[in-house]
Amino acid sequence: MPEWEPVVGLEIHVQMKTRTKMFCRCENAFATGANTQTCPVCLAFPGALPTPNATAVEWTLKLGLALGCEIAPRALFHRKHYPYPDLPKGYQISQYDEPLCVDGRFVVPGPDGDFEVGIVRAHLEEDAAKTIHVGGATGRIVGSAHSNIDFNRGGTPLVEIVTKPDLHSADQARRFLQLLRQTIVELGISDAEMEKGQLRADANVSVREVGETGFRTRTELKNMNSFNHIARGIDAEVRRQIATWESGAEVVQQTLDYEVKSDTITARRQKEEADDYRYFPEPDLVPLEPETGMLERLRNELPELPGARIHSLAESVGFDAAHEIVTTGNESKARLLVENGIDWPTAANIAMNQLSGIEPLPENGPALAAIIEKRSEIRRERFNAALAESGTVILDVESVVADKVVADTSELEPLVDRILAANPGQVAAYKGGKEGLLGYFVGQVMKETQGKADPKAVNELLRSKLD
């Protein structure tokens, strides 16, 4: 049988967090009442004309610079026609053959070396309204009873990033998206929360035999909303295409849905091509011509990008931990601890675990470091509670450290003896080979001490008496 290679390109849509929408002054906000953020422009009333959002233009240019793109001296908006009810105008204002940002390259650190993903374009457009499918088991149009439209999202500034087909595994696609998302967040142009639809990715997937240089028919997996789901969807479609080719059939170009629970692919529709959209220049908007001075300012505003920091952190914590701590946004917490004397491996571990979902107050840096240094002496529940509180209150180090674990054997031994004497059946069962009962005895000691006993000391003491 031939050896197959996946070929994957991605189309990523990112909602920008500008104050207002792309072509009107409606508020750009999440989770408000349905159809409450609309106006004649975003609802396409006759005679209403669009006005571009200057901030959205600047942010698209900044992203393009971060992606290593060339900035076009002149860009045009086009009308992209869709026959869908979520576009009240009957078309989307987008960019076609003259986008703002083209020909970029984005370097992604990998465990076996860097890989480069070519960026075909990053262009600015408006988002469609949100279609809510009612009824059915999956929340998708297939099997639904009817659909409702919420026009609040319609007209939201959207930047679309299109990659070259440079990805050759689901894991590469996942790593690329994680790094891209963190880059977008750090540039401040979007929160890129996938569960809120602020970042949506489509995957164009094909396969070819190893050594083959051309491309075979591709399919498109639409709107997957988590990195793991995207990776699983790509793997499922790769398996399906390989099976199709090996059976003697041919892959049909079409748009697909991936069902996570059943790990299956479902056909949605035939894939459209550019001709189907009937592009033509938007007559109500003038061309965009970015000024040299503005581009220089934006280039100077670029921070050190996450990919570069993964490399530097890998020397201290290893590649996998460095990739995780940077792409999950936990790096700043770890740096706060390191700046106050905690070593990188410890800081990274605590940032990704006990401080996950918590943003410590900067003023708590010294207190957190002092508490972490004493963590072996502090009762576990109090230690965890202190870290949880670090995002909202100034920590009192003395009161936390005073809540010590009981590790003195002379204090624990009488209690352990009493518990063993009260449970002769369990003691006999343990000695008969049921070593899992050790956890039962530890639990009894912890209960009696209200969680203040040192689990390690209790384990050692129990073993010495039972073995």
Side-chain angles (χ1 to χ4, degrees):
M1 299 296 286
E3 185 178 355
W4 297 92
E5 174 188 48
V7 181
V8 179
L10 297 171
E11 299 173 15
I12 304 100
H13 293 83
V14 181
Q15 286 185 352
M16 294 184 173
K17 60 179 183 181
T18 52
R19 186 179 59 83
T20 57
K21 293 185 182 182
M22 184 62 224
F23 296 112
C24 67
R25 295 184 177 182
C26 288
E27 185 180 2
N28 178 24
F30 180 77
T32 59
N35 294 309
T36 57
Q37 295 166 205
T38 59
C39 73
V41 174
C42 56
L43 289 179
F45 283 18
L49 297 176
T51 302
N53 187 319
T55 300
V57 173
E58 283 202 15
W59 285 359
T60 301
L61 294 171
K62 181 181 283 190
L63 176 61
L65 294 171
L67 296 176
C69 290
E70 295 180 13
I71 305 302
R74 182 177 186 271
L76 286 180
F77 285 110
H78 281 69
R79 292 184 178 183
K80 181 179 183 182
H81 292 81
Y82 287 93
Y84 301 152
D86 56 11
L87 285 172
K89 295 189 290 289
Y91 59 85
Q92 175 191 35
I93 300 178
S94 182
Q95 293 180 328
Y96 175 45
D97 56 351
E98 295 185 62
L100 279 169
C101 311
V102 296
D103 296 332
R105 53 185 295 274
F106 192 65
V107 178
V108 183
D112 301 316
D114 295 351
F115 61 92
E116 184 177 299
V117 181
I119 305 298
V120 177
R121 57 196 283 139
H123 69 258
L124 186 57
E125 60 190 23
E126 60 177 339
D127 206 351
K130 184 176 182 180
T131 304
I132 303 165
H133 303 297
V134 181
T138 65
R140 300 182 185 275
I141 191 170
V142 177
S144 64
H146 66 275
S147 300
N148 296 328
I149 308 292
D150 180 0
F151 287 97
N152 283 348
R153 193 179 73 180
T156 297
L158 199 68
V159 60
E160 179 175 357
I161 304 155
V162 181
T163 80
K164 292 182 179 179
D166 289 343
L167 298 158
H168 297 291
S169 72
D171 183 65
Q172 281 192 346
R174 179 178 57 80
R175 288 184 182 276
F176 166 77
L177 284 169
Q178 287 174 322
L179 188 63
L180 176 65
R181 178 195 177 275
Q182 187 60 29
T183 301
I184 289 166
V185 170
E186 292 184 15
L187 291 177
I189 67 178
S190 175
D191 294 330
E193 296 184 42
M194 298 187 77
E195 65 275 13
K196 293 182 179 179
Q198 295 167 349
L199 186 150
R200 311 190 292 273
D202 305 334
N204 293 298
V205 182
S206 65
V207 298
R208 64 187 177 190
E209 293 184 30
V210 172
E212 190 176 350
T213 56
F215 298 106
R216 300 196 181 198
T217 305
R218 63 184 171 88
T219 58
E220 183 180 30
L221 293 171
K222 292 291 289 185
N223 288 344
M224 292 171 286
N225 62 359
S226 83
F227 299 126
N228 287 333
H229 291 175
I230 291 167
R232 288 179 58 191
I234 290 171
D235 278 336
E237 176 57 8
V238 166
R239 292 194 302 268
R240 189 190 71 84
Q241 290 192 22
I242 290 173
T244 299
W245 289 116
E246 290 184 345
S247 72
E250 294 192 357
V251 172
V252 176
Q253 183 169 334
Q254 57 189 329
T255 299
L256 306 170
D257 287 326
Y258 172 63
E259 175 52 45
V260 176
K261 291 182 179 179
S262 61
D263 194 33
T264 55
I265 300 292
T266 304
R268 179 189 287 193
R269 63 177 186 268
Q270 297 300 108
K271 173 67 177 144
E272 295 96 341
E273 296 294 348
D275 290 346
D276 298 316
Y277 296 127
R278 296 181 291 116
Y279 283 103
F280 66 81
E282 169 56 71
D284 294 327
L285 292 169
V286 300
L288 298 174
E289 297 179 352
E291 297 177 352
T292 302
M294 179 178 67
L295 293 178
E296 283 303 310
R297 171 175 60 80
L298 293 174
R299 187 174 283 109
N300 291 332
E301 289 176 0
L302 289 178
E304 182 183 18
L305 297 178
R309 301 201 307 276
I310 289 175
H311 278 302
S312 60
L313 284 177
E315 299 176 5
S316 301
V317 299
F319 176 81
D320 288 340
H323 181 273
E324 182 179 358
I325 196 171
V326 171
T327 58
T328 57
N330 285 308
E331 180 188 0
S332 61
K333 306 171 192 178
R335 288 192 181 277
L336 177 65
L337 301 179
V338 170
E339 290 167 0
N340 286 280
I342 303 300
D343 63 86
W344 259 112
T346 301
N349 180 60
I350 288 176
M352 290 187 292
N353 290 286
Q354 288 94 338
L355 286 175
S356 178
I358 301 163
E359 198 62 47
L361 300 174
E363 300 89 334
N364 275 329
L368 281 170
I371 290 168
I372 291 167
E373 292 285 3
K374 297 280 189 178
R375 66 188 180 281
S376 62
E377 304 173 13
I378 302 169
R379 191 166 59 89
R380 181 183 301 176
E381 289 78 3
R382 186 67 186 95
F383 175 76
N384 290 337
L387 268 60
E389 294 165 1
S390 66
T392 56
V393 300
I394 301 299
L395 295 177
D396 180 352
V397 177
E398 290 187 4
S399 67
V400 176
V401 173
D403 196 352
K404 295 182 178 295
V405 296
V406 179
D408 189 338
T409 303
S410 63
E411 291 186 47
L412 292 173
E413 189 167 13
L415 175 59
V416 168
D417 288 339
R418 188 170 74 251
I419 289 172
L420 293 179
N423 295 275
Q426 286 86 343
V427 170
Y430 176 88
K431 292 183 176 180
K434 292 187 177 181
E435 295 187 359
L437 285 168
L438 183 67
Y440 167 78
F441 294 123
V442 173
Q444 292 298 305
V445 175
M446 299 304 291
K447 181 179 179 181
E448 288 286 334
T449 61
Q450 297 181 326
K452 292 185 177 182
D454 180 6
K456 182 179 178 181
V458 172
N459 265 275
E460 292 175 354
L461 186 56
L462 282 166
R463 287 185 184 279
S464 69
K465 291 182 175 293
L466 290 169
D467 293 342

